[in-house]
Every structure is written in C-alpha cells, then in structure tokens.
Amino acid sequence: MSAAPCTFHLIQGAFTFAEDEGFPLESGGQLRPVTIRYAQYGEPNAARDNVVLVCHALSGSAKVDDWWPELFVEGGLLDLEKYCVIGTNILGSCYGSTGPNSINAETGEPYGADFPLVTISDIVRAQAKLLDHLGIDKLKLAIGGSIGGMQALHWAMDFPDRVEHAIAIGTAPLGALGLALNHIQRQVIRLDPSWNNASYANDDSLSEGLSIARQIAMLSYKSAELFDHRYGRKLNRNGEDPWKHHAARFDVGGYLDHQGEKFVQRFDANSYLSITRTMDTFDPVRKYGSAEVAYSRIKAKITLVGISSDWLFPPEDVRRFAAEIGAYGAHCDYHEIISSHGHDAFLAEPEKLLQVLGHGREIDS
C-alpha cells in the first residue's frame, strides 16, 4: 500500500494538568505538572461516538501520519470522513509530553535520571484526562502495535465503559528474552561516558550508547529470514572488505550503524531508558492480582494480531495471551500476519494488517 498524500483537518496541541495536586503514579511517585502532546485528525461527529485513539510504539509521536501514514490512505484502515483520529505522545517520551527532559517542579531542574517509573496504566490515565478535556467520553476504537497495543488493552481493562474495541498488534507481556534485550540496551546507554548519569547537555546527546541500543533493538524488530534475504554475507555497499582489515563491515553492519546514526539525531537517551522500563512492566495480572480480575473487567471487543516471524513478541505468546483473555469472558479474537518483516511488519507491510482486519470491517463488527 503506498502512502499517498491524504488531506485532513489536523489540530495539534498540548494539554497540561495536575499543576497543583500532582499526578500520582503506580510506582508511588508523582509528576507535577503533566503535559500531554496530541494530534487530532478530523472532527468528532454530533454524537461524539466516532473517535479512534491510535497509540504509538516506543519511538513514535502524537503525529500518527508521520509514522503510520498508511492508516489514512484511500482504502486504509481509518477513513477520516468517518472517524476522528487522536494520537497522543506518551509520558516519558521526548516529543512534547512530560518526560525526563521536563522540569521537575520540586527542583526547578530537568528530571533526568530522577524521572519516575511510569507504567502503561499511568499513560492511559493521562490519555483519559486529555479525552475528558476534549469532551470525548467513549472511544470507538483504541489501536496500537507493540507498546501501543499495551495501551489499547489497558484502555479496555482500566476504563471498560469508555472503549468499544481494542486492537493490539504484536503485543503480550514481554518474555525473558525481551526483558533481557531491553536490559542490555539500557546498560549500553548507561555505560556511555557522555550519558553522565542522565546529566548530559542537549548538544552532547548524540550518544554512541543510544546508537548501539537502537542497533540491538533493530535486530529484535526484524527476522533472520529478512536479514538473510536483504544482506546475507554481502560486503558493505561502500566497498569495505572484511577479509582485509578489522574495521571493515559486512552490509548488515553498515545497515545497523546507519540506523543507529539516524536514531540519535531524533531521540533522547533518557526517554529510551524510561520507555523500555515502561514496556517491561506491562503485566495486567500483577496489576489486578489475577487474570480473572484483570480480564473479566473487559467489556470491549478485543482483537490481538500476532506476526509469524516476530521473535520479540512471538505469535505463540500473543495467541496464548488471546486465549487467556478470552477464558474470562471477554470477546477476544486472534489473527496472524504472515510476514518475514518480524515485529515491524505492522509498519513495514500495513496492507497485510488491513487484510487480516477485513479492510476495516473488523472495526465496525
């Protein structure tokens, strides 16, 4: 599906709350004040029952058309003549919402390493405050991939009367391998001397540690099949020869270095630390005490989508997660994208997501 230009009415804004009373967090800390950056595409209808919340993955932003434009193309999932779409930037990020670079009201300085642990439920409660501000009582749909899917599912559990349908793609509680990969990524950021215990200046934030962390993440977002097909044992495209000197790279090494270099120009290391910890703590059973309590709260229709080659959130884990949710009375369907693109398939091959969701019919069913 080509990301053809789409015309839409876009409103961008920021909503700030909890200036005085603070916003309590599940971890026991609080944020004061809280700002949520948002983007709104189209307008709510008269009944205000056509609103879709699109929740971004780790490094996304409120501007859904920047990172998932295929949702809006002709024949895409979300027809802006029919739906009003809202994107928010999550707590902990560096794209306009409260995060590690925000000013701590208690100290007058950026939070840095003191930014408290934020959970998916904290993010969803902040989104609910924004929707209250916008006069939106109920969502037609909450949808997202990866950590975005975690948000969509928590909407169904935490606010069961406020969402009709939740779609989560490549989403389940992280297994030990996923937790390990996130741990290693945080370690390489902290070991970078320029990180300086989260106190680096903005002009020093082009961190080698963040670049390596992103390269590790890129491995988990793709599949061995895709890497073999694209890169195999090809020499790096700039002509380096790994058989002639130590520093020479194979093509896959050049690709990963390029991805790391691009990432440090647009993302913040402290936000990366914060959001990967948020992803680690997604565990509805722990939050509610049991699977029965967590999933019996759900009134929305739930759709989980696995990806055949995803080894960060393996399809068997997503399928098992769907069965567990459904075992306690929730209406939960499972679909699977067959793709070699790994975890990134929902972004790399959105037409396949569209196919498994019945070209949008799944939303209205």
Side-chain angles (χ1 to χ4, degrees):
M1 182 188 301
S2 61
C6 175
T7 58
F8 45 74
H9 178 55
L10 171 63
I11 298 171
Q12 296 188 74
F15 170 58
T16 299
F17 62 95
E19 292 99 330
D20 298 321
E21 71 280 14
F23 181 66
L25 302 173
E26 281 194 306
S27 64
Q30 71 164 9
L31 296 172
R32 180 173 68 87
V34 175
T35 296
I36 299 296
R37 185 75 180 172
Y38 69 94
Q40 176 181 318
Y41 303 81
E43 296 286 350
N45 59 17
R48 306 184 80 77
D49 62 359
N50 67 331
V51 178
V52 173
L53 179 68
V54 178
C55 305
H56 69 75
L58 192 155
S59 64
S61 70
K63 283 202 79 228
V64 181
D65 61 303
D66 281 350
W67 54 271
W68 214 0
E70 293 85 359
L71 288 187
F72 300 137
V73 301
E74 185 176 355
L77 194 63
L78 300 177
D79 180 353
L80 291 176
E81 295 294 322
K82 186 175 182 180
Y83 302 111
C84 169
V85 175
I86 294 175
T88 74
N89 186 223
I90 64 173
L91 296 176
S93 185
C94 53
Y95 289 134
S97 292
T98 299
N101 289 333
S102 301
I103 299 300
N104 182 345
E106 302 299 323
T107 66
E109 300 291 334
Y111 282 100
D114 293 328
F115 189 73
L117 175 65
V118 169
T119 66
I120 300 293
S121 280
D122 293 329
I123 290 169
V124 168
R125 285 190 298 115
Q127 290 169 337
K129 294 277 191 183
L130 168 65
L131 295 184
D132 291 344
H133 169 71
L134 296 176
I136 307 299
D137 294 326
K138 191 165 186 176
L139 294 169
K140 179 72 174 175
L141 171 69
I143 182 173
S146 194
I147 195 173
M150 297 175 183
Q151 295 164 60
L153 289 174
H154 260 293
W155 264 99
M157 288 179 285
D158 297 353
F159 296 96
D161 294 317
R162 295 193 67 171
V163 58
E164 292 182 23
H165 190 176
I167 299 176
I169 307 135
T171 300
L174 269 175
L177 181 59
L179 294 173
L181 288 169
N182 280 351
H183 170 74
I184 293 169
Q185 290 173 65
R186 290 190 294 268
Q187 290 292 81
V188 297
I189 289 173
R190 293 188 180 107
L191 289 171
D192 188 326
S194 70
W195 184 64
N196 191 26
N197 194 32
S199 298
Y200 57 78
N202 285 337
D203 56 356
D204 292 330
S205 62
L206 301 185
S207 147
E208 184 177 356
L210 179 59
S211 172
I212 295 172
R214 179 63 170 182
Q215 293 177 53
I216 294 169
M218 292 304 297
L219 295 178
S220 71
Y221 298 158
K222 305 297 182 184
S223 73
E225 178 186 355
L226 183 74
F227 269 45
D228 282 339
H229 174 71
R230 285 188 175 176
Y231 309 107
R233 294 182 58 80
K234 299 175 186 174
L235 304 185
N236 196 21
R237 59 200 64 187
N238 66 2
E240 296 174 13
D241 186 345
W243 279 269
K244 290 190 175 178
H245 57 91
H246 290 299
R249 299 165 294 179
F250 286 96
D251 197 31
V252 68
Y255 161 78
L256 292 173
D257 286 343
H258 176 66
Q259 293 298 317
E261 290 163 5
K262 287 199 308 180
F263 192 67
V264 299
Q265 296 173 32
R266 72 174 182 89
F267 211 73
D268 175 74
N270 288 330
S271 284
Y272 200 88
L273 294 173
S274 175
I275 297 172
T276 57
R277 287 290 292 124
T278 297
M279 180 183 291
D280 287 355
T281 61
F282 173 66
D283 189 345
V285 173
R286 176 180 171 82
K287 173 180 170 60
Y288 284 105
S290 73
E292 181 178 5
V293 173
Y295 305 136
S296 64
R297 294 175 54 86
I298 295 173
K299 298 178 181 179
K301 177 180 179 181
I302 305 296
T303 302
L304 295 192
V305 181
I307 301 164
S308 63
S309 57
D310 188 347
W311 61 278
L312 183 59
F313 294 92
E316 55 270 25
D317 288 1
V318 181
R319 191 182 305 110
R320 189 181 310 114
F321 190 32
E324 185 176 26
I325 292 172
Y328 296 100
H331 178 179
C332 185
D333 294 333
Y334 175 79
H335 302 274
E336 191 164 310
I337 298 172
I338 307 303
S339 172
S340 66
H341 278 269
H343 186 60
D344 263 355
F346 70 97
L347 297 173
E349 295 186 302
E351 68 279 2
K352 292 190 175 181
L353 175 63
L354 193 63
Q355 289 168 6
V356 302
L357 296 180
H359 294 272
R361 292 189 299 275
E362 180 78 15
I363 297 176
D364 293 316
S365 60

